[in-house]
Amino acid sequence: MPQIITQISEQLHTSWQKELANVVTDPKTLLEMLDIAPQAYQDHFKARKLFPVRVPRPFIKRMKKGDINDPLLTQVMPLRDEFDLSDGYLTDPLQEHDTVAEGLLHKYRHRVLMIVKAGCAVNCRYCFRRHFPYADNSPNKARWQQALDYIAGHKEISEVIFSGGDPLMASDEHLAWLIERIEAIPHVKRLRLHSRLPVVIPQRITPMLVNLLSNSRLKATIVFHINHANEVDETFISAVEPLRAARVPLFNQSVLLKGVNDNSQVLCRLSEVLFDNGIQPYYLHMFDPVQGAAHFDVKEEDAVKIVNEMLAVLPGFLMPKLVREIAGEANKTPINLT
């Protein structure tokens, strides 16, 4: 039986890596796959110079053909608006470019955020790290060791958050190496993974990954990044099931985005779909004011109205917390709903 499980794991591992190698990087190809004539959008394609286009094919399959305003397409489609320089929008809106060790951010007293991998499977156009100097924080085992030494030397740290890029861009073997060394640090109790990769390539949830998280002495959780209910299809639901069966807590955080989910009905539907499939709605983030993506921003008063409409429909346990992350603050800042 163990040999069979290993073989299945290797097949799935190969499968997600093949999907990763086959992502769409040309916006013209992306539109053609969706039966949208690309000629009218040539000017938008130039924005790929500012931030490369990367879209996995399993994610494209969930987009509605012929619809240029599809909410999933909107998240990844380059626009000429990205060239606009907007006052108050920054290349480093959360002041993350200064790290305590290479690839390690210590913004909150008891938690550290570790850049496990520099790349992502999908490039979301609204990403607040679209300008992050990943070349200077490109992880490898030597740099991971510097981060591990820092964590070991700061006994106030009880939780390590794997981020990126996307931490699940790392192979299961590399994750196993890293988790084993974190487990050896006595004061670390929890491990959290923030990832969008299984959403866009569900095959990334392999048996080995499930075993790593469920058998660790650390209390492991995964926080997915899902913005719209259309991102949750049967393939993703099936991929998540082994994590649920292994009792790995699953959460979701979304970003409030104009043209994607700035509607109470859309967000209520998302909360319902998430909870139906064992994922707890966690945070609804206000857009981080990153330069080049101001067209996604939703005014705070509009966000408050949307959330109050959700409160009138959803039970409290399905309500994500509306928050804003402010550079230098010791925690996420809840938005006042009154």
Side-chain angles (χ1 to χ4, degrees):
M1 183 64 73
Q3 184 177 0
I4 295 175
I5 292 175
T6 300
Q7 290 173 346
I8 294 173
S9 178
E10 289 174 350
Q11 290 170 1
L12 288 172
H13 197 172
T14 301
S15 178
W16 77 262
Q17 289 182 322
K18 285 181 178 178
E19 290 289 359
L20 197 60
N22 200 30
V23 297
V24 173
T25 59
D26 185 346
K28 179 175 180 289
T29 301
L30 173 62
L31 293 185
E32 288 174 342
M33 290 175 67
L34 295 171
D35 296 337
I36 298 172
Q39 289 76 14
Y41 304 98
Q42 295 289 335
D43 285 348
H44 295 299
F45 297 168
K46 298 173 184 177
R48 65 194 293 197
K49 298 177 182 177
L50 299 175
F51 190 41
V53 172
R54 286 180 60 84
V55 194
R57 293 170 188 267
F59 193 61
I60 297 171
K61 288 180 181 178
R62 297 171 221 169
M63 299 176 186
K64 183 179 179 181
K65 289 194 173 184
D67 185 2
I68 192 63
N69 296 313
D70 176 86
L72 277 59
L73 175 60
T74 299
Q75 296 178 59
V76 297
M77 176 69 185
L79 296 178
R80 56 174 170 259
D81 300 36
E82 296 176 37
F83 286 97
D84 296 341
L85 296 178
S86 306
D87 291 341
Y89 294 81
L90 309 171
T91 57
D92 183 17
L94 302 184
Q95 296 179 13
E96 290 189 330
H97 292 193
D98 293 327
T99 53
V100 293
E102 288 189 88
L104 192 72
L105 304 170
H106 194 176
K107 295 194 294 183
Y108 306 137
R109 177 172 173 78
H110 300 291
R111 305 184 294 282
V112 290
L113 187 145
M114 192 172 184
I115 305 295
V116 173
K117 291 293 284 187
C120 284
V122 59
N123 279 355
C124 302
R125 309 308 297 180
Y126 55 86
C127 181
F128 69 93
R129 291 195 184 123
R130 58 184 285 160
H131 304 287
F132 189 82
Y134 285 115
D136 298 331
N137 290 274
S138 183
N140 54 46
K141 286 186 178 180
R143 287 178 169 174
W144 282 349
Q145 190 58 57
Q146 292 179 33
L148 292 167
D149 291 342
Y150 179 92
I151 295 167
H154 288 75
K155 294 187 177 181
E156 74 275 16
I157 297 171
S158 59
E159 181 174 16
V160 176
I161 302 169
F162 284 179
S163 186
D166 194 305
L168 291 184
M169 291 283 281
S171 69
D172 289 339
E173 291 75 18
H174 285 164
L175 289 173
W177 184 93
L178 188 53
I179 291 171
E180 181 181 357
R181 279 150 183 80
I182 293 174
E183 287 173 334
I185 302 174
H187 53 265
V188 178
K189 299 178 181 179
R190 294 183 300 277
L191 173 67
R192 194 190 328 169
L193 284 80
H194 283 217
S195 182
R196 187 151 167 77
L197 205 161
V199 180
V200 297
I201 303 178
Q203 297 94 322
R204 180 60 190 93
I205 302 178
T206 64
M208 183 174 177
L209 177 64
V210 175
N211 288 336
L212 277 174
L213 301 181
S214 60
N215 293 326
S216 176
R217 78 149 184 90
L218 303 170
K219 183 63 176 178
T221 63
I222 295 181
V223 180
F224 294 119
H225 177 176
I226 303 169
N227 295 318
H228 196 284
N230 291 0
E231 298 177 36
V232 181
D233 68 349
E234 289 300 323
T235 305
F236 174 69
I237 293 168
S238 297
V240 166
E241 181 55 36
L243 290 168
R244 294 176 58 187
R247 298 185 178 181
V248 176
L250 305 176
F251 298 90
N252 184 66
Q253 59 181 7
S254 306
V255 181
L256 187 59
L257 301 166
K258 184 180 293 185
V260 175
N261 58 11
D262 55 334
N263 176 290
S264 61
Q265 292 182 332
V266 169
L267 289 171
C268 284
R269 175 61 180 156
L270 173 59
S271 284
E272 295 277 6
V273 168
L274 289 170
F275 192 77
D276 285 349
N277 292 287
I279 302 171
Q280 181 66 45
Y282 179 32
Y283 280 133
L284 176 61
H285 284 271
M286 294 294 297
F287 172 81
D288 293 313
V290 62
Q291 190 65 258
H295 51 283
F296 284 109
D297 207 352
V298 176
K299 294 180 180 178
E300 186 170 311
E301 55 264 36
D302 293 332
V304 169
K305 180 182 178 182
I306 289 168
V307 170
N308 278 319
E309 290 173 354
M310 293 173 67
L311 283 166
V313 176
L314 294 176
F317 62 88
L318 289 188
M319 279 297 304
K321 297 176 184 177
L322 180 64
V323 297
R324 183 187 299 279
E325 192 149 4
I326 300 174
E329 292 294 316
N331 51 264
K332 298 184 191 302
T333 302
I335 302 298
N336 191 338
L337 299 180
T338 58

